[in-house]
Amino acid sequence: MMEELFDIYDSAGNRIGVAPRRECHGNPSLLHHTSHVVVFHPDGKRILLQKRSMSKDIQPGKWDTAVGGHLAPGEDYETGARRELAEELGWKAPVTLRYLFDAQIRNEIESEDTRVFGVTLAGPFEFQREEIDEVRFWSADELKDPASHSFFTPNLVTELQRLFDGGFL
């Protein structure tokens, strides 16, 4: 199996090289790009979350954004978002992705610049069982409940705050 490679960027957004995933996850100086897709239910009151597989190397078993993934070398944010939507939720039909916001993820494990898109879909979803244990729609009240946050990835908690502050939820 080929090792996954990521483009590496400087703080100004210039591509400066390529590094393997195992180096990027463990060296926060290796800034790379990801795309997330927030899946809104057509009722406008819920969003879809994924429960990360227990086999994931980062945040296993935690609830996270419905779709998220690293960009392949040379891939732009929207192309990556569409690829991840197909890979993670099995959604291959044409959709309109809405740009929501850009975010920076910085922690002791990794550094990512993330573009967050939104899409409205009800399903059904054929999620990727190797990476995802479960998907389900969560209400705004459930998402705001501080008790739920212990089950969420730190990145999801931050992203949810941006969604609420921006009036998206």
Side-chain angles (χ1 to χ4, degrees):
M1 185 166 137
M2 294 282 299
E3 183 165 21
E4 193 174 8
L5 297 175
F6 303 151
D7 284 337
I8 303 303
Y9 297 86
D10 65 17
S11 60
N14 300 306
R15 184 184 172 282
I16 57 172
V18 177
R21 176 189 182 102
R22 66 178 157 70
E23 288 181 24
C24 294
H25 287 176
N27 183 348
S29 70
L30 297 175
L31 174 62
H32 51 286
H33 289 176
T34 61
S35 289
H36 288 186
V37 181
V38 178
V39 178
F40 295 90
H41 191 275
D43 67 14
K45 299 177 184 176
R46 298 178 286 158
I47 66 169
L48 189 74
L49 298 183
Q50 65 159 275
K51 186 174 184 187
R52 297 171 61 84
S53 166
M54 290 303 291
S55 65
K56 296 293 280 183
D57 61 342
I58 296 176
Q59 300 292 329
K62 296 278 188 166
W63 288 93
D64 204 357
T65 308
V67 174
H70 297 92
L71 301 186
E75 190 172 48
D76 64 67
Y77 286 111
E78 185 171 339
T79 302
R82 290 180 185 285
R83 177 183 49 76
E84 290 291 339
L85 188 61
E87 287 177 8
E88 294 190 351
L89 295 182
W91 198 269
K92 296 179 176 93
V95 295
T96 299
L97 293 177
R98 304 181 311 275
Y99 167 80
L100 299 180
F101 54 85
D102 288 334
Q104 293 183 333
I105 297 169
R106 305 289 189 267
N107 57 48
E108 67 281 353
I109 298 170
E110 64 185 340
S111 296
E112 297 176 344
D113 283 350
T114 303
R115 179 145 301 159
V116 181
F117 296 92
V119 67
T120 301
L121 299 169
F125 304 108
E126 293 295 328
F127 62 90
Q128 187 178 36
R129 298 200 182 273
E130 299 81 32
E131 292 192 21
I132 301 170
D133 285 342
E134 181 182 351
V135 297
R136 81 170 178 91
F137 283 100
W138 292 62
S139 71
D141 287 342
E142 290 175 304
L143 297 168
K144 287 180 182 178
D145 183 354
S148 296
H149 293 194
S150 65
F151 304 107
F152 296 167
T153 65
N155 295 341
L156 175 61
V157 172
T158 301
E159 198 166 274
L160 288 172
Q161 190 62 54
R162 295 277 308 265
L163 290 169
F164 284 117
D165 290 349
F168 299 110
L169 275 175

PDB file of all heavy atoms in Angstrom, residues 19-34:
ATOM      1  N   ALA A  19       5.135  15.853   1.942  1.00  0.00           N
ATOM      2  CA  ALA A  19       5.578  15.017   3.058  1.00  0.00           C
ATOM      3  C   ALA A  19       4.566  13.895   3.270  1.00  0.00           C
ATOM      4  O   ALA A  19       3.379  14.051   2.978  1.00  0.00           O
ATOM      5  CB  ALA A  19       5.711  15.840   4.332  1.00  0.00           C
ATOM      6  N   PRO A  20       5.021  12.751   3.784  1.00  0.00           N
ATOM      7  CA  PRO A  20       4.103  11.651   4.061  1.00  0.00           C
ATOM      8  C   PRO A  20       3.222  11.948   5.276  1.00  0.00           C
ATOM      9  O   PRO A  20       3.615  12.684   6.183  1.00  0.00           O
ATOM     10  CB  PRO A  20       5.021  10.458   4.331  1.00  0.00           C
ATOM     11  CG  PRO A  20       6.347  11.020   4.618  1.00  0.00           C
ATOM     12  CD  PRO A  20       6.415  12.387   4.022  1.00  0.00           C
ATOM     13  N   ARG A  21       2.046  11.354   5.282  1.00  0.00           N
ATOM     14  CA  ARG A  21       1.065  11.518   6.362  1.00  0.00           C
ATOM     15  C   ARG A  21       1.693  11.277   7.728  1.00  0.00           C
ATOM     16  O   ARG A  21       1.471  12.039   8.659  1.00  0.00           O
ATOM     17  CB  ARG A  21      -0.095  10.552   6.137  1.00  0.00           C
ATOM     18  CG  ARG A  21      -1.125  10.560   7.237  1.00  0.00           C
ATOM     19  CD  ARG A  21      -2.144   9.422   7.055  1.00  0.00           C
ATOM     20  NE  ARG A  21      -3.133   9.476   8.088  1.00  0.00           N
ATOM     21  CZ  ARG A  21      -4.359   9.962   7.940  1.00  0.00           C
ATOM     22  NH1 ARG A  21      -4.750  10.422   6.778  1.00  0.00           N
ATOM     23  NH2 ARG A  21      -5.201   9.989   8.954  1.00  0.00           N
ATOM     24  N   ARG A  22       2.488  10.209   7.859  1.00  0.00           N
ATOM     25  CA  ARG A  22       3.053   9.859   9.167  1.00  0.00           C
ATOM     26  C   ARG A  22       3.946  10.975   9.707  1.00  0.00           C
ATOM     27  O   ARG A  22       4.059  11.133  10.913  1.00  0.00           O
ATOM     28  CB  ARG A  22       3.791   8.527   9.098  1.00  0.00           C
ATOM     29  CG  ARG A  22       5.017   8.552   8.242  1.00  0.00           C
ATOM     30  CD  ARG A  22       5.766   7.220   8.230  1.00  0.00           C
ATOM     31  NE  ARG A  22       6.579   7.084   7.059  1.00  0.00           N
ATOM     32  CZ  ARG A  22       7.682   7.788   6.806  1.00  0.00           C
ATOM     33  NH1 ARG A  22       8.113   8.671   7.661  1.00  0.00           N
ATOM     34  NH2 ARG A  22       8.345   7.602   5.687  1.00  0.00           N
ATOM     35  N   GLU A  23       4.572  11.751   8.816  1.00  0.00           N
ATOM     36  CA  GLU A  23       5.385  12.881   9.275  1.00  0.00           C
ATOM     37  C   GLU A  23       4.510  14.088   9.617  1.00  0.00           C
ATOM     38  O   GLU A  23       4.792  14.814  10.564  1.00  0.00           O
ATOM     39  CB  GLU A  23       6.424  13.259   8.218  1.00  0.00           C
ATOM     40  CG  GLU A  23       7.540  12.264   8.095  1.00  0.00           C
ATOM     41  CD  GLU A  23       8.577  12.679   7.061  1.00  0.00           C
ATOM     42  OE1 GLU A  23       8.709  13.893   6.761  1.00  0.00           O
ATOM     43  OE2 GLU A  23       9.247  11.772   6.534  1.00  0.00           O
ATOM     44  N   CYS A  24       3.450  14.298   8.827  1.00  0.00           N
ATOM     45  CA  CYS A  24       2.557  15.444   9.062  1.00  0.00           C
ATOM     46  C   CYS A  24       1.791  15.290  10.365  1.00  0.00           C
ATOM     47  O   CYS A  24       1.508  16.279  11.048  1.00  0.00           O
ATOM     48  CB  CYS A  24       1.590  15.606   7.893  1.00  0.00           C
ATOM     49  SG  CYS A  24       2.396  16.073   6.357  1.00  0.00           S
ATOM     50  N   HIS A  25       1.429  14.049  10.690  1.00  0.00           N
ATOM     51  CA  HIS A  25       0.727  13.783  11.950  1.00  0.00           C
ATOM     52  C   HIS A  25       1.767  13.430  13.001  1.00  0.00           C
ATOM     53  O   HIS A  25       2.077  12.282  13.238  1.00  0.00           O
ATOM     54  CB  HIS A  25      -0.284  12.652  11.784  1.00  0.00           C
ATOM     55  CG  HIS A  25      -1.480  13.064  11.016  1.00  0.00           C
ATOM     56  ND1 HIS A  25      -2.482  12.210  10.681  1.00  0.00           N
ATOM     57  CD2 HIS A  25      -1.833  14.260  10.490  1.00  0.00           C
ATOM     58  CE1 HIS A  25      -3.403  12.848   9.997  1.00  0.00           C
ATOM     59  NE2 HIS A  25      -3.023  14.096   9.858  1.00  0.00           N
ATOM     60  N   GLY A  26       2.293  14.445  13.609  1.00  0.00           N
ATOM     61  CA  GLY A  26       3.334  14.286  14.598  1.00  0.00           C
ATOM     62  C   GLY A  26       4.333  15.430  14.532  1.00  0.00           C
ATOM     63  O   GLY A  26       5.140  15.602  15.426  1.00  0.00           O
ATOM     64  N   ASN A  27       4.243  16.219  13.473  1.00  0.00           N
ATOM     65  CA  ASN A  27       5.132  17.367  13.319  1.00  0.00           C
ATOM     66  C   ASN A  27       4.291  18.578  12.940  1.00  0.00           C
ATOM     67  O   ASN A  27       4.003  18.806  11.760  1.00  0.00           O
ATOM     68  CB  ASN A  27       6.184  17.082  12.249  1.00  0.00           C
ATOM     69  CG  ASN A  27       7.176  18.216  12.110  1.00  0.00           C
ATOM     70  OD1 ASN A  27       6.985  19.309  12.645  1.00  0.00           O
ATOM     71  ND2 ASN A  27       8.233  17.974  11.359  1.00  0.00           N
ATOM     72  N   PRO A  28       3.878  19.378  13.919  1.00  0.00           N
ATOM     73  CA  PRO A  28       3.000  20.519  13.625  1.00  0.00           C
ATOM     74  C   PRO A  28       3.636  21.605  12.756  1.00  0.00           C
ATOM     75  O   PRO A  28       2.943  22.512  12.311  1.00  0.00           O
ATOM     76  CB  PRO A  28       2.624  21.074  14.997  1.00  0.00           C
ATOM     77  CG  PRO A  28       3.321  20.264  16.008  1.00  0.00           C
ATOM     78  CD  PRO A  28       4.105  19.192  15.335  1.00  0.00           C
ATOM     79  N   SER A  29       4.932  21.500  12.471  1.00  0.00           N
ATOM     80  CA  SER A  29       5.541  22.490  11.577  1.00  0.00           C
ATOM     81  C   SER A  29       5.215  22.193  10.114  1.00  0.00           C
ATOM     82  O   SER A  29       5.459  23.035   9.249  1.00  0.00           O
ATOM     83  CB  SER A  29       7.057  22.535  11.779  1.00  0.00           C
ATOM     84  OG  SER A  29       7.666  21.355  11.285  1.00  0.00           O
ATOM     85  N   LEU A  30       4.641  21.007   9.837  1.00  0.00           N
ATOM     86  CA  LEU A  30       4.304  20.632   8.457  1.00  0.00           C
ATOM     87  C   LEU A  30       2.837  20.982   8.179  1.00  0.00           C
ATOM     88  O   LEU A  30       1.932  20.169   8.338  1.00  0.00           O
ATOM     89  CB  LEU A  30       4.575  19.144   8.232  1.00  0.00           C
ATOM     90  CG  LEU A  30       6.036  18.726   8.379  1.00  0.00           C
ATOM     91  CD1 LEU A  30       6.183  17.213   8.247  1.00  0.00           C
ATOM     92  CD2 LEU A  30       6.925  19.449   7.379  1.00  0.00           C
ATOM     93  N   LEU A  31       2.626  22.207   7.754  1.00  0.00           N
ATOM     94  CA  LEU A  31       1.282  22.720   7.468  1.00  0.00           C
ATOM     95  C   LEU A  31       0.748  22.101   6.179  1.00  0.00           C
ATOM     96  O   LEU A  31       1.395  22.155   5.136  1.00  0.00           O
ATOM     97  CB  LEU A  31       1.335  24.243   7.344  1.00  0.00           C
ATOM     98  CG  LEU A  31       0.061  24.962   6.914  1.00  0.00           C
ATOM     99  CD1 LEU A  31      -1.054  24.749   7.933  1.00  0.00           C
ATOM    100  CD2 LEU A  31       0.340  26.451   6.732  1.00  0.00           C
ATOM    101  N   HIS A  32      -0.449  21.516   6.267  1.00  0.00           N
ATOM    102  CA  HIS A  32      -1.089  20.902   5.101  1.00  0.00           C
ATOM    103  C   HIS A  32      -2.553  21.325   5.049  1.00  0.00           C
ATOM    104  O   HIS A  32      -3.044  21.990   5.945  1.00  0.00           O
ATOM    105  CB  HIS A  32      -0.923  19.371   5.120  1.00  0.00           C
ATOM    106  CG  HIS A  32      -1.324  18.717   6.397  1.00  0.00           C
ATOM    107  ND1 HIS A  32      -0.570  18.772   7.560  1.00  0.00           N
ATOM    108  CD2 HIS A  32      -2.404  17.987   6.711  1.00  0.00           C
ATOM    109  CE1 HIS A  32      -1.172  18.106   8.524  1.00  0.00           C
ATOM    110  NE2 HIS A  32      -2.305  17.622   8.037  1.00  0.00           N
ATOM    111  N   HIS A  33      -3.255  20.959   3.971  1.00  0.00           N
ATOM    112  CA  HIS A  33      -4.618  21.429   3.729  1.00  0.00           C
ATOM    113  C   HIS A  33      -5.642  20.307   3.843  1.00  0.00           C
ATOM    114  O   HIS A  33      -5.369  19.170   3.461  1.00  0.00           O
ATOM    115  CB  HIS A  33      -4.729  22.056   2.338  1.00  0.00           C
ATOM    116  CG  HIS A  33      -4.023  23.365   2.216  1.00  0.00           C
ATOM    117  ND1 HIS A  33      -3.948  24.052   1.023  1.00  0.00           N
ATOM    118  CD2 HIS A  33      -3.360  24.139   3.131  1.00  0.00           C
ATOM    119  CE1 HIS A  33      -3.286  25.188   1.207  1.00  0.00           C
ATOM    120  NE2 HIS A  33      -2.913  25.253   2.468  1.00  0.00           N
ATOM    121  N   THR A  34      -6.824  20.669   4.332  1.00  0.00           N
ATOM    122  CA  THR A  34      -7.957  19.750   4.413  1.00  0.00           C
ATOM    123  C   THR A  34      -9.232  20.468   3.978  1.00  0.00           C
ATOM    124  O   THR A  34      -9.304  21.698   3.995  1.00  0.00           O
ATOM    125  CB  THR A  34      -8.170  19.209   5.851  1.00  0.00           C
ATOM    126  OG1 THR A  34      -8.444  20.306   6.729  1.00  0.00           O
ATOM    127  CG2 THR A  34      -6.963  18.443   6.347  1.00  0.00           C
TER     128      THR A  34
END
